[in-house]
Amino acid sequence: MNNVLKKTGMMMAMAAIISLGASCSDDNNENQSGDNALSVNEQKMEAITNQYVTNTIYQTYGAIADATNQLYENLAAVTEKFKTDPQSVSQSDIDNICQIFLEAREEWEKSEAFLYGAATDFGIDPHIDTWPLDADGLATALKNADQVAKLEGEDGIAYAGGKLGQELLGFHGIEFIIFRDGANRKIADLRAEETNEAFTKIGAHVTGLQELIYATAVAGDLRDRCFQMEVAWNADAPQSHINRVEEVELPFTVNGGSKSYGENMLAAGKAGSTYASWQEVMVTILQAGCENIANEVANTKIGNPYSGEDVNYIESPYSHKSFIDFHDNILSIENSLYGGRKADGRDTSKSIIQYMKDNSYPSLASLETAVAEAIAALETCQSTLGSFVQNVNNTLVGEAQKKVQILDDELVKAAGWFATQK
């Protein structure tokens, strides 16, 4: 996601107000067995939240952390080989890095339905996923031999994260180095000088080694910030990840306190939690999480280029994986609604969808249809068109946008309904 979640604060405030009103209702004690006992519905919401935090958020952030760590290690190893002998680096080395990048990218896009929390509070989202890449700025940076030297080695990670600026960091900086025109970068091109117009117009004679040094430093910073998200949510993240976050002095607790974001959400309604009720948690998942990314996919990621408002506002323009990015964003919504990731312990019996079934939500069929049709429309774009870059005005793109807009509307309705639950 390119921008900080501008609407999140407003939505979460609204959620708090709505859910507070619901919790103060005269019949809120319905189905309770004690003064402070949870209603039957609240018990279900608590179980849903446990499943959501454990099998959607923890699993996804763990996968992102592992994939970005592997990406950094592989880039660092290939860069060292390239320093010694560029001829020793093969096309398969580059292809392997590209594959790892795409795996990391997939996991990140599958997390965008829960960008509220650590990803926003610590500015991680814009730090690692701002586009378009500032190609002119990158050309200037890599033309400067002293700056490239500062990007080398372990110290280069901190230099990249602190000095380059978000338009040169994250996924899209790495993407520029290892992909071009929808294909893996050719090793022959990396053995020569950079020919991108942003470089040639200022006479920047930048080598593939300099580009790989830059990509390695940025990948290290990307890994560190993904470790930060994982550790911030999951107090039981791998100790090596916790140690790294502490080493580079990145914050990882809620409001500087002792709770992780997972612990905070799982303590809803208790002293010390920022969530006043389980209803507020449900509204947050649906509106600050799912609806927020549906809105962005429909009206910004697809909408800006498709409408002509900004034809250059294209996510993943070098790998041509935009449709896959959008598709994975909707899968992040599906995982949030249906009780987790399919491959990692999904349990629909403890899901928002099942709760809606049990409580006769009147628009459930419309919501489920909207999820399925949005996913299908984006799969059609990918299989039929392949590249969003080359087909921004295609009618299939417009149809996909409408399907995601319908999903957006259904999520708004669902959040409003959940706010009335007791």
Side-chain angles (χ1 to χ4, degrees):
M1 178 178 289
N2 184 33
N3 299 310
V4 180
L5 302 179
K6 296 178 181 177
K7 300 188 300 176
T8 300
M10 179 184 68
M11 285 191 260
M12 292 187 74
M14 182 181 71
I17 292 168
I18 294 172
S19 61
L20 182 60
S23 65
C24 292
S25 171
D26 290 340
D27 30 335
N28 190 46
N29 291 324
E30 219 170 80
N31 299 321
Q32 292 184 352
S33 57
D35 289 342
N36 297 311
L38 297 177
S39 70
V40 170
N41 281 347
E42 287 170 331
Q43 290 174 35
K44 290 179 181 179
M45 292 180 208
E46 182 179 25
I48 290 165
T49 305
N50 271 282
Q51 178 68 14
Y52 168 76
V53 169
T54 303
N55 292 89
T56 301
I57 294 182
Y58 289 177
Q59 294 286 354
T60 304
Y61 279 151
I64 298 170
D66 290 343
T68 53
N69 185 48
Q70 188 179 3
L71 177 63
Y72 167 70
E73 290 181 349
N74 277 260
L75 264 167
V78 167
T79 300
E80 285 302 311
K81 280 178 66 176
F82 206 95
K83 284 181 185 177
T84 304
D85 178 12
Q87 299 301 317
S88 70
V89 179
S90 67
Q91 184 62 49
S92 63
D93 288 327
I94 304 304
D95 292 344
N96 184 50
I97 289 171
C98 290
Q99 182 57 41
I100 296 168
F101 173 92
L102 293 177
E103 291 169 4
R105 184 74 185 159
E106 175 185 350
E107 296 298 348
W108 164 250
E109 294 300 314
K110 287 179 180 176
S111 79
E112 292 207 356
F114 37 93
L115 284 175
Y116 60 85
T120 294
D121 290 352
F122 302 132
I124 299 170
D125 173 26
H127 188 86
I128 69 174
D129 196 26
T130 286
W131 73 89
L133 175 75
D134 180 7
D136 291 340
L138 181 58
T140 300
L142 296 188
K143 184 181 180 182
N144 185 329
D146 290 339
Q147 189 161 34
V148 173
K150 291 176 181 177
L151 290 168
E152 289 196 67
E154 280 289 321
D155 292 340
I157 297 173
Y159 182 84
K163 300 296 184 181
L164 291 185
Q166 63 190 36
E167 292 82 6
L168 300 182
L169 289 171
F171 285 104
H172 301 294
I174 302 167
E175 181 197 2
F176 174 81
I177 303 302
I178 63 175
F179 292 95
R180 291 296 164 84
D181 301 320
N184 296 354
R185 188 88 177 270
K186 300 301 180 188
I187 186 60
D189 294 337
L190 283 167
R191 291 177 184 144
E193 288 189 354
E194 177 59 70
T195 59
N196 181 272
E197 182 186 2
F199 290 72
T200 58
K201 72 183 181 183
I202 64 169
H205 299 288
V206 174
T207 66
L209 176 57
Q210 291 170 311
E211 292 186 87
L212 287 170
I213 289 169
Y214 156 76
T216 299
V218 170
D221 177 66
L222 172 65
R223 174 206 60 189
D224 289 350
R225 299 310 293 262
C226 290
F227 279 8
Q228 182 188 18
M229 283 189 299
E230 177 194 29
V231 170
W233 271 94
N234 186 1
D236 294 321
Q239 189 61 48
S240 61
H241 296 187
I242 296 172
N243 292 345
R244 177 62 182 175
V245 171
E246 291 178 336
E247 177 187 351
V248 295
E249 300 182 339
L250 292 170
F252 59 92
T253 59
V254 177
N255 296 330
S258 61
K259 281 188 173 66
S260 71
Y261 281 78
E263 290 168 333
N264 178 58
M265 181 171 272
L266 293 171
K270 298 178 182 176
S273 174
T274 63
Y275 294 95
S277 66
W278 292 109
Q279 293 92 332
E280 184 180 343
V281 172
M282 297 296 103
V283 174
T284 297
I285 294 169
L286 283 162
Q287 190 151 6
C290 296
E291 188 275 330
N292 194 77
I293 190 58
N295 182 289
E296 188 185 357
V297 170
N299 300 315
T300 305
K301 292 187 177 190
I302 295 175
N304 279 6
Y306 179 70
S307 68
E309 180 180 340
D310 187 350
V311 296
N312 295 314
Y313 192 85
I314 295 177
E315 191 173 21
S316 299
Y318 308 109
S319 62
H320 289 203
K321 302 299 183 183
S322 306
F323 288 132
I324 293 175
D325 287 348
F326 308 157
H327 174 265
D328 288 338
N329 288 164
I330 307 306
L331 288 184
S332 74
I333 296 172
E334 181 188 69
N335 293 342
S336 298
L337 296 178
Y338 282 88
R341 294 154 57 97
K342 284 183 179 179
D344 296 304
R346 175 177 286 184
D347 185 351
T348 55
S349 72
K350 299 172 185 174
S351 70
I352 286 174
I353 292 296
Q354 186 60 51
Y355 180 98
M356 290 175 159
K357 289 179 181 176
D358 293 344
N359 289 272
S360 303
Y361 174 54
S363 296
L364 177 59
S366 297
L367 174 60
E368 291 198 274
T369 298
V371 173
E373 289 188 350
I375 291 171
L378 290 166
E379 288 175 348
T380 297
C381 286
Q382 176 61 31
S383 62
T384 305
L385 304 177
S387 170
F388 182 51
V389 177
Q390 298 167 338
N391 296 280
V392 292
N393 301 122
N394 193 281
T395 55
L396 288 177
V397 173
E399 291 170 12
Q401 182 190 37
K402 290 176 184 175
K403 295 298 184 183
V404 182
Q405 286 172 331
I406 291 169
L407 173 58
D408 183 24
D409 292 340
E410 290 298 329
L411 289 164
V412 171
K413 287 195 296 184
W417 178 82
F418 245 110
T420 69
Q421 297 300 290
K422 306 178 181 71

